[in-house]
Amino acid sequence: MRFTLDRREATQGTVDAIAVGIPERAEKEDAFPRALSKEDLAFGKALSAAWERREIRGKRKEVTIFHRPDGKGRLLVVGLGARTQVDLETIRNASAEAVRALKGRGARTLGFKLASFSSDRIPAEAAIRALVDGAALGGYEFLRYKTTSEGKVEDATIFLGEEAAREEAPLRKAMEQEEMLVETVLWTRDVANVPADTATPEWLAEQARAFGKEYNVKVTVFDEKKLAEMNCGGILGVGSGSSHPPRLIVLEYGGGARSGKTVAVVGKGITFDSGGISIKQAQGMSAMKYDKSGACAVLGVVRAAASLKVPPRVIGVMACAENLPGPTAYRPGDVLRTHSGKTIEVLNTDAEGRVVLSDALGYVVEHYHPDQVIDMATLTGACVVALGPDIAGLMSNDDGLAQALLDASHQTGEQLWRLPVTDTHREMVKSEIGDVRNSTEMREAGALTAAAFLENFVGGTAWAHLDIAGPGYNEGPISRYAPSYFNKGATAFGVRLVTRYLMTTPR
Ligand code: BES
Ligand code: ZN
Ligand code: ZN
């Protein structure tokens, strides 16, 4: 989707449809809102008539459509819910609802009346970012395997109207930055949605190489031979049951001018998680093609960081392998020797994410000495049980980093909740015959023991772990509760969040 800024009133443009936001109307609120009088006139007073008969209530997700008397143009009145509750997330959802209401309905261009979304509490820049997010992400479709498409909004215009008195440059910058960012989010969704028959570890490496050339990002791919030389027994162990061998993919973005800081971003890239010898049940197993979502988010973060030229140097590491049972698969009871030298006793081959991450974390910490490490992984079902489908778990050994990620999360709407890691959890992952074990004798605190396991491989570096098993993708009945700008399938959760963190973190 392309975005344009226009100083005029929305009614003066030539878009196929105009979207205006309207807060929920109070019980005794009878007077038609004056802010919409221009639109009302342009639409032959159809709006005030609908207001009069209480057709417009302003409830969230309510979209009322009007047509110009001359047939040239439509107007969508999008409900925002209670005025005092309107926030950036409301605007993202409203913008997505507008785009969705027009899907397959013959509209190619859509205009937003900015002043109906911005307010005293929501500055125009932030409102613009939210409109761009909602429209682009809400309109996303995964079209790789579709032979037909219904047609949708392709051009969006943000009309400044009353806001035109303001300086235009910061508004334009907000729009252009966000447009670049969401373009990468959509690209990331396209990569993460590809199923495991095509999206093998080597295929992910090819995606990384292709974008690296274009964005001047250095890409190094370690194949199974190289990984053996590097003593990466963790990722090799997990990948040993598949005929598609594992890859450790390293992406380097050099950082903005005079940058001093290095941030490593590490992702779990299981192209398919059958559970291995500790095989999963059939129900819902197809969703395990999304078990590479963490690594895909890393791909997206580095691409966005390079296109937006964020200040810090960013090292992305994708730990990619396929977890299948087979004659050469790793098994419960095996002991793996990782890059860091620490050994892992495998008790459950389905707890494979932490095993591939052990090598990725160990490698990046030893080789790049980053100031901070952030990992993203669809790591545990326990985290989904604890926090539900839309909130990621945040576990960290550094309060400053954790708070900075929470701040970024409040901006982007990608929700996080911090969970503890204590000595109890550290105790629970100790092994009797090796250094650590990949699963414990009980299910309790599964998200926390997984984090306690990972902590062994960051060597004291400031580290934050995002368990994105819930919000990384949407499938099944719980997808009903997802925001309007999340499609079915991969969400690219974490890309906007971590990129915003990188944009705002001090050097
Ligand atoms: N990929 C799964 C975690 C997962 C579950 C992601 C549901 C998304 C939705 C992970 O590899 C896994 O299987 N974890 C096990 C760990 C257990 C065996 C210690 C789990 O959560 O059950
Ligand atoms: Zn698993
Ligand atoms: Zn997994």
Side-chain angles (χ1 to χ4, degrees):
M1 197 176 287
R2 279 175 305 274
F3 291 87
T4 316
L5 208 60
D6 193 316
R7 302 187 65 80
R8 292 176 297 172
E9 288 294 337
T11 46
Q12 293 172 313
T14 53
V15 287
D16 295 335
I18 299 168
V20 301
I22 195 163
E24 189 167 340
R25 154 180 198 176
E27 187 76 42
K28 291 199 185 71
E29 192 179 339
D30 289 327
F32 179 70
R34 248 195 292 156
L36 292 181
S37 53
K38 287 198 190 74
E39 286 74 17
D40 190 34
L41 275 181
F43 282 75
K45 302 216 168 158
L47 275 70
S48 49
W51 179 270
E52 201 66 37
R53 63 176 173 262
R54 296 198 163 261
E55 184 181 342
I56 301 175
R57 297 166 306 164
K59 291 194 185 297
R60 281 189 180 191
K61 296 202 172 183
E62 176 189 281
V63 180
T64 317
I65 304 185
F66 298 90
H67 298 263
R68 262 196 223 256
D70 64 3
K72 292 185 185 140
R74 271 173 272 182
L75 184 111
L76 278 58
V77 179
V78 187
L80 300 175
R83 189 187 296 275
T84 53
Q85 308 285 316
V86 174
D87 58 12
L88 294 175
E89 185 67 1
T90 314
I91 299 175
R92 278 187 285 268
N93 278 305
S95 164
E97 289 293 339
V99 168
R100 289 190 171 183
L102 292 170
K103 188 171 172 242
R105 308 293 298 273
R108 217 189 54 78
T109 58
L110 170 64
F112 291 97
K113 178 185 170 76
L114 178 61
S116 69
F117 297 98
S118 60
S119 65
D120 300 346
R121 290 184 305 118
I122 300 174
E125 283 92 335
I128 287 175
R129 280 206 207 94
L131 287 172
V132 171
D133 285 358
L137 302 179
Y140 172 77
E141 293 173 290
F142 180 51
L143 294 174
R144 188 183 177 102
Y145 302 103
K146 287 256 188 236
T147 49
T148 56
S149 164
E150 290 185 298
K152 56 172 199 252
V153 173
E154 272 157 25
D155 285 291
T157 304
I158 293 168
F159 287 99
L160 298 184
E162 289 134 63
E163 299 272 7
R166 303 191 16 156
E167 205 195 329
E168 197 178 308
L171 304 183
R172 184 170 298 282
K173 189 174 168 209
M175 185 189 74
E176 286 171 357
Q177 273 196 342
E178 202 65 18
E179 189 178 357
M180 277 209 250
L181 182 53
V182 290
E183 193 271 322
T184 288
V185 175
L186 300 182
W187 176 83
T188 307
R189 285 184 183 176
D190 270 343
V191 173
N193 275 324
V194 174
D197 56 353
T198 302
T200 61
E202 175 54 27
W203 185 85
L204 287 172
E206 280 162 27
Q207 308 312 302
R209 285 191 201 101
F211 108 78
K213 263 206 202 93
E214 198 183 328
Y215 286 74
N216 202 16
V217 164
K218 185 176 167 202
V219 177
T220 313
V221 178
F222 298 111
D223 65 11
E224 69 276 23
K225 281 195 208 84
K226 206 69 190 131
L227 288 168
E229 284 168 25
M230 291 157 66
N231 301 313
C232 290
I235 190 170
L236 285 170
V238 171
S240 60
S242 169
S243 57
H244 303 294
R247 298 284 183 262
L248 191 75
I249 306 163
V250 181
L251 311 131
E252 294 181 57
Y253 157 70
R258 287 179 285 112
S259 167
K261 182 168 165 182
T262 299
V263 181
V265 189
V266 177
K268 166 178 173 180
I270 300 300
T271 56
F272 187 75
D273 182 12
S274 69
I277 299 294
S278 317
I279 199 161
K280 288 182 181 295
Q281 62 174 43
Q283 166 113 47
M285 202 202 274
S286 63
M288 286 300 120
K289 65 183 172 186
Y290 302 120
D291 211 23
K292 61 185 180 303
S293 295
C296 293
V298 166
L299 200 56
V301 167
V302 179
R303 189 178 188 261
S307 69
L308 294 166
K309 301 196 168 55
V310 303
R313 178 162 82 123
V314 183
I315 310 298
V317 183
M318 303 159 64
C320 303
E322 186 174 35
N323 188 20
L324 293 182
T328 55
Y330 81 140
R331 12 172 146 53
D334 286 0
V335 181
L336 309 173
R337 201 173 287 280
T338 66
H339 180 76
S340 66
K342 289 194 180 170
T343 57
I344 300 173
E345 180 189 8
V346 176
L347 290 177
N348 187 322
T349 62
D350 196 11
E352 83 298 337
R354 64 199 78 183
V355 179
V356 299
L357 287 172
S358 69
D359 280 330
L361 292 168
Y363 174 77
V364 80
V365 166
E366 183 201 287
H367 208 267
Y368 292 93
H369 307 288
D371 298 285
Q372 296 170 330
V373 182
I374 301 168
D375 80 70
M376 293 183 276
T378 47
L379 204 61
T380 66
C383 198
V384 191
V385 173
L387 299 177
D390 53 350
I391 305 177
L394 161 65
M395 285 140 269
S396 180
N397 62 3
D398 187 281
D399 291 343
L401 177 59
Q403 190 53 52
L405 287 169
L406 287 166
D407 292 344
S409 147
H410 291 134
Q411 291 295 312
T412 68
E414 291 153 288
Q415 298 185 78
L416 301 180
W417 195 261
R418 192 168 177 188
L419 300 170
V421 179
T422 72
D423 284 344
T424 308
H425 311 118
R426 295 182 183 104
E427 203 55 45
M428 285 165 84
V429 293
K430 284 189 179 151
S431 164
E432 277 174 25
I433 84 161
D435 295 319
V436 285
R437 55 181 181 179
N438 80 333
S439 110
T440 68
E441 59 278 80
M442 53 198 209
R443 296 159 45 229
E444 284 81 358
L448 318 181
T449 48
F453 176 100
L454 296 179
E455 194 189 42
N456 283 285
F457 299 92
V458 298
T461 311
W463 156 77
H465 158 59
L466 305 181
D467 191 330
I468 60 169
Y473 65 90
N474 263 302
E475 255 192 7
I478 54 179
S479 57
R480 268 181 53 204
Y481 305 99
S484 305
Y485 56 91
F486 274 17
N487 54 288
K488 197 172 170 307
T491 59
F493 184 98
V495 175
R496 287 182 304 120
L497 170 76
V498 175
T499 306
R500 178 137 300 272
Y501 166 69
L502 293 170
M503 283 166 85
T504 49
T505 182
R507 288 195 278 247

